[in-house]
Amino acid sequence: MMFTRPRFTVPALTAALLLGGAAHAQAAASATLTAAVTAALANNTDVKTAQANLDKAQAANVAAQADPSSLVAAKLSAKNTYALAQAQLRGAKLGALQNTVTAYTTLLEAQENVTLQTLQVQVDTKGVQVAQVKLGIGNATTLDVTNAQNTLASSQQNLADGRAQVNLASAKLATLTGLASGVRAAGVPNVPKLSSTLATLQGGLGNLSAVTSAAGDLTLATLNVKLADNDFTPARTLQDAKTALANAQRSSDSASKAATQSLASAYQAAQNAYELLAVAQSREAAAQKTATQDAARLKSGTISAVELQSSQLALKKAQYARLQAQDNVLVSLAALSVASGVNLTGIGGSI
């Protein structure tokens, strides 16, 4: 016995889908990426902790430098701790920025995927209707109808899954930022150009916490050798200080090398993302041209409404692919910001 599904009408299904989406949109607050990043920087636990540590290190450094009884090693240690706290706060902010950009773009893509899957359901609903009409006039088999119904069922499931993904992505963004539960992405953020060269960014790697920490250890080890290099300090103490200096130098070199490699990799990833965005934009433009031409052809009677709907679906898929490529640029810029210690996203100001 062949399984048959209830017949759907496109207007009724479309109305149900759009009304359901509209009601959900009205119930959820929207936030721009800038607002989400601002909230994350204000509410992020790591940022708050790093800020508290910086305040403490700053006060300790001021006291050490002003204390006439404080020795040179203590003063240098306090200065290094303060510099490291500054770098750690910057790193915490850039980490919060990266996580927020990733969460926001994930939510935005999930929302747009629901729109895409809604259109796909409309197309597949029409496909069932066409198959049923063809079956009625003997131009299709019952298997054709069954296949069309199965395709529609799959699309409906994809739509349901897409809506669930929106809720999951929204919850993740709310957790990261402290924004209200059920928050929605307000729109597509602008993508800035990458104007900084790799060489320029390499010049600022000293601001990274790992490099700053290693550099601070090196300066302190250098001072200890200087303080031990005299006639009244045991030779063993001097030798130990020199060993510590050699170790600190290796650690500093290793930290600088690792930072340089990470930066180069992140920079290349960002360049690749820009190139893929250009390809996606070109494909979207081609799909837009096809959809426009098909709309004109429908008016002239040379194609059917079903064919126009298919070209509109192709356009929506191209737009979604362009959105993904655009988001990938932002995510890559956020990763590059973390690797360079400089905010390159154009969001959140200088960090």
Side-chain angles (χ1 to χ4, degrees):
M1 180 177 182
M2 188 187 73
F3 175 74
T4 59
R5 296 177 179 273
R7 292 177 61 115
F8 298 92
T9 63
V10 174
L13 179 61
T14 301
L17 292 169
L18 293 181
L19 286 175
H24 199 88
Q26 290 176 354
S30 296
T32 64
L33 178 55
T34 298
V37 169
T38 300
L41 294 177
N43 299 318
N44 183 268
T45 300
D46 291 339
V47 172
K48 289 181 177 180
T49 299
Q51 182 64 63
N53 290 337
L54 174 59
D55 293 341
K56 178 181 177 181
Q58 183 178 21
N61 182 53
V62 170
Q65 305 309 322
D67 186 357
S69 66
S70 181
L71 300 181
V72 63
K75 289 185 177 182
L76 179 58
S77 179
K79 181 181 178 181
N80 288 345
T81 300
Y82 176 49
L84 177 58
Q86 288 178 306
Q88 288 174 333
L89 176 59
R90 186 183 305 108
K93 287 182 176 180
L94 290 173
L97 168 70
Q98 181 184 25
N99 291 336
T100 303
V101 168
T102 300
Y104 185 93
T105 53
T106 298
L107 174 58
L108 180 61
E109 289 179 19
Q111 291 174 194
E112 291 302 312
N113 182 53
V114 168
T115 302
L116 173 59
Q117 295 304 325
T118 298
L119 181 56
Q120 182 69 65
V121 167
Q122 294 173 8
V123 170
D124 293 339
T125 298
K126 189 64 177 178
V128 171
Q129 294 176 343
V130 170
Q132 289 172 336
V133 170
K134 287 184 176 180
L135 177 63
I137 61 176
N139 196 31
T141 66
T142 55
L143 179 60
D144 293 328
V145 175
T146 299
N147 289 337
Q149 290 173 331
N150 289 338
T151 298
L152 174 58
S154 177
S155 297
Q156 290 171 328
Q157 183 59 52
N158 289 338
L159 177 57
D161 290 343
R163 286 175 172 159
Q165 290 303 314
V166 170
N167 293 332
L168 291 174
S170 175
K172 180 63 178 292
L173 182 62
T175 299
L176 286 172
T177 62
L179 293 172
S181 176
V183 63
R184 293 292 183 265
V188 183
N190 295 326
V191 176
K193 293 182 179 180
L194 179 56
S195 57
S196 299
T197 64
L198 178 59
T200 299
L201 295 177
Q202 286 174 335
L205 290 179
N207 294 324
L208 299 179
S209 60
V211 178
T212 298
S213 178
D217 291 343
L218 179 59
T219 59
L220 189 58
T222 301
L223 176 62
N224 287 334
V225 169
K226 181 179 179 180
L227 295 176
D229 191 9
N230 50 60
D231 294 336
F232 51 83
T233 300
R236 183 70 263 170
T237 300
L238 176 59
Q239 186 58 45
D240 290 345
K242 288 182 177 179
T243 299
L245 174 59
N247 291 338
Q249 184 64 65
R250 281 190 290 271
S251 295
S252 180
D253 292 342
S254 177
S256 296
K257 183 178 180 180
T260 299
Q261 291 175 340
S262 295
L263 175 63
S265 177
Y267 195 87
Q268 184 60 53
Q271 288 184 317
N272 292 343
Y274 276 105
E275 292 174 1
L276 292 175
L277 174 58
V279 172
Q281 289 172 330
S282 177
R283 290 175 176 171
E284 180 187 5
Q288 180 65 69
K289 184 176 181 180
T290 298
T292 301
Q293 290 176 341
D294 284 353
R297 293 174 65 193
L298 177 64
K299 289 183 178 180
S300 66
T302 57
I303 66 170
S304 68
V306 173
E307 291 173 295
L308 174 60
Q309 193 176 42
S310 295
S311 65
Q312 290 173 334
L313 176 60
L315 172 59
K316 178 58 68 176
K317 289 181 178 179
Q319 291 172 335
Y320 183 67
R322 186 265 307 153
L323 172 64
Q324 289 179 307
Q326 188 170 322
D327 286 346
N328 190 43
V329 170
L330 284 172
V331 171
S332 297
L333 286 177
L336 181 58
S337 298
V338 171
S340 65
V342 179
N343 184 8
L344 302 169
T345 65
I347 305 164
S350 58
I351 296 176

